[in-house]
Amino acid sequence: MSLEKKMLDSLGDYENEIFALNDYMAEHPEIGSREFESSKRIVELLRAYGMEVEYPFAGLPTAFRARINPGAKRRAALMAEYDALPEIGHACGHCASGSASVMAALALHDLQHELDFGIDLIGTPDEEMTGGKCYMADDGVFDGYDFAAMVHMGATTGFMSNIIALDGMLIRYRGVPAHAAGAPEKGRNALNAARLFFDAVDMMRQHVIPEARLHGYIRNGGSASNVVPEYSEIEFLSRAPMRKDLNDITEWVRECAHAAAMATRTKVEIEVLGKPFHDMYVSPPGAALITRIYGEMGLVMEERKGSGSSDVGNVDYVCPAFQTLMGIGQDLGTHTHEFGCAMTDPRTHTAIVNAAAFLLKLVAKLYADPALLESIQEAHRKYRSV
């Protein structure tokens, strides 16, 4: 029996515990950097099966790293997410995708004495808000891995949307309050500065690459209709397919913020919101391997349009990263109440097993075929060097 077949056969041994783990996290969602009980339960399960776990890890209180064959030189990382969204819980499915990575790690641990490579399961908190993987990548956590991988849950099965680079910022305007009718000349309108900023950014759009995305909203625009607003705050995101393009676009956005302050004689403060998210690259040999695995599993890949951002892009700047989609139901859309409610459904349990199987097949095929792994790494090196 092949090693790949042995791995897949062992998944059934963990179904009950993995489904219970997923359902607990779905019913008790914890937002980013507060996943204390979720991470604790994952770590307790791993340790119960004899896995070596460092927890907390990398200076993050809800991160962990479990090691399989710690002494092996060839190593890959499986990534597990488990943070929820404010108000709508696990509407992005991290309870299920994280459970799938745990399930795959347990199956690999079962066969550790037959492996000539090592695997680290890395718990990566706070994808939705500040990006735990960004901090980890900056601190060298992903240095030296042959590749890193996870499966995300979605409505359909296939490739992720284009993962593009993202910058976030908080823009705060401070003016001077005054009675809007009695002494408007004494005021300086912070809301006008915010409005002018959005007008300036809208004028930018004609002169940036068409793939760029610029969007935000005014958090605070005043407190009374007869008072000149002295404070206004904007949350704003800029995105582009490549980090090298986004750096200039974000700088232009900042210049628009300063220009609006100058024009309205207000003061502006700009704060970076979270870590910058980078773009992710899917190489031709990597895409072919993903397609091959889904075909072997009898799963139909659906075309997925659009784009999004994730901290997994920062991992991809260090080593080749795989993040694919496992479909739960075409009637569902991520970041919706309905998707969160479906996390304990039998079809989600099926998707967890399928996602774990995908990860096992990916690991097995890449380490059984050094030439394939090298072709993916070489394509990644060439792309990142440009």
Side-chain angles (χ1 to χ4, degrees):
M1 183 184 297
S2 70
L3 180 61
E4 181 177 323
K5 182 66 165 57
K6 289 180 181 179
M7 291 178 185
L8 296 174
D9 286 349
S10 70
L11 288 178
D13 297 338
Y14 303 105
E15 284 190 359
N16 291 338
E17 288 169 297
I18 291 296
F19 296 162
L21 172 67
N22 168 76
D23 293 358
Y24 173 83
M25 291 193 289
E27 292 165 356
H28 302 84
E30 297 175 299
I31 63 172
S33 297
R34 301 181 189 174
E35 319 96 324
F36 294 105
E37 190 62 30
S38 298
S39 58
K40 177 184 174 184
R41 286 179 178 247
I42 293 172
V43 169
E44 287 177 347
L45 177 59
L46 296 171
R47 286 175 173 166
Y49 281 97
M51 291 187 68
E52 174 188 319
V53 187
E54 184 178 351
Y55 173 68
F57 174 64
L60 303 174
T62 57
F64 64 84
R65 181 177 66 181
R67 314 206 78 185
I68 300 168
N69 282 354
K73 291 184 178 179
R74 298 195 300 166
R75 304 197 68 78
L78 299 184
M79 300 172 286
E81 298 175 346
Y82 34 85
D83 60 313
L85 288 157
E87 299 183 9
I88 53 176
H90 275 288
C92 202
H94 292 176
C95 56
S97 60
S99 295
S101 294
V102 173
M103 191 179 203
L106 289 172
L108 286 160
H109 181 257
D110 258 357
L111 299 167
Q112 60 180 311
H113 299 300
E114 298 184 40
L115 308 181
D116 61 356
F117 55 87
I119 295 289
D120 290 346
L121 174 66
I122 301 178
T124 59
D126 204 358
E127 188 273 344
E128 295 288 355
M129 298 176 70
T130 61
K133 297 183 196 66
C134 302
Y135 293 93
M136 289 179 163
D138 287 350
D139 289 344
V141 168
F142 293 98
D143 292 356
Y145 286 116
D146 296 320
F147 61 92
M150 63 170 288
V151 176
H152 203 287
M153 298 298 159
T156 58
T157 295
F159 296 108
M160 283 286 289
S161 300
N162 292 328
I163 300 298
I164 63 178
L166 174 147
D167 288 328
M169 64 184 78
L170 289 178
I171 303 169
R172 300 184 178 94
Y173 288 104
R174 300 185 188 277
V176 178
H179 194 285
E185 72 281 359
K186 294 182 180 180
R188 295 293 178 263
N189 196 313
L191 178 59
N192 280 351
R195 292 173 55 208
L196 190 56
F197 164 76
F198 276 99
D199 286 344
V201 169
D202 284 342
M203 293 176 186
M204 270 182 64
R205 295 179 194 274
Q206 182 182 359
H207 306 291
V208 297
I209 56 175
E211 298 84 4
R213 299 290 182 265
L214 302 168
H215 45 98
Y217 73 103
I218 298 174
R219 284 185 172 183
N220 186 315
S223 56
S225 59
N226 62 349
V227 177
V228 173
E230 69 171 316
Y231 179 76
S232 188
E233 183 176 283
I234 297 166
E235 181 178 317
F236 199 82
L237 302 178
S238 55
R239 309 186 198 225
M242 294 285 290
R243 167 53 56 188
K244 64 181 180 64
D245 297 319
L246 183 57
N247 287 339
D248 182 61
I249 292 170
T250 297
E251 183 57 31
W252 197 347
V253 169
R254 294 173 68 92
E255 290 169 357
C256 287
H258 286 288
M262 184 181 297
T264 55
R265 288 190 171 178
T266 57
K267 295 181 180 179
V268 65
E269 304 164 2
I270 303 174
E271 176 186 339
V272 174
L273 183 63
K275 279 277 194 177
F277 283 16
H278 298 335
D279 50 286
M280 191 177 84
Y281 172 61
V282 180
S283 67
L289 176 60
I290 292 168
T291 303
R292 173 185 162 197
I293 292 173
Y294 276 135
E296 289 179 0
M297 296 176 68
L299 298 175
V300 178
M301 297 179 67
E302 303 286 341
E303 182 180 1
R304 184 175 171 88
K305 298 179 180 180
S307 59
S309 303
S310 170
D311 58 1
V312 74
N314 295 53
V315 179
D316 193 64
Y317 267 59
V318 179
C319 66
F322 292 87
Q323 187 183 63
T324 63
L325 277 177
M326 187 59 66
I328 292 174
Q330 293 189 349
D331 58 317
L332 300 169
T334 55
H335 286 225
T336 64
H337 176 73
E338 291 76 16
F339 198 88
C341 290
M343 285 300 99
T344 58
D345 287 359
R347 55 182 172 171
T348 298
H349 292 169
T350 299
I352 290 171
V353 177
N354 285 339
F358 176 93
L359 290 171
L360 292 178
K361 291 175 76 68
L362 179 76
V363 169
K365 291 182 188 304
L366 285 173
Y367 280 122
D369 189 345
L372 173 59
L373 177 56
E374 174 56 31
S375 69
I376 290 172
Q377 292 172 330
E378 179 60 22
H380 182 268
R381 282 192 293 268
K382 286 182 178 179
Y383 183 83
R384 289 298 174 211
S385 68
V386 173

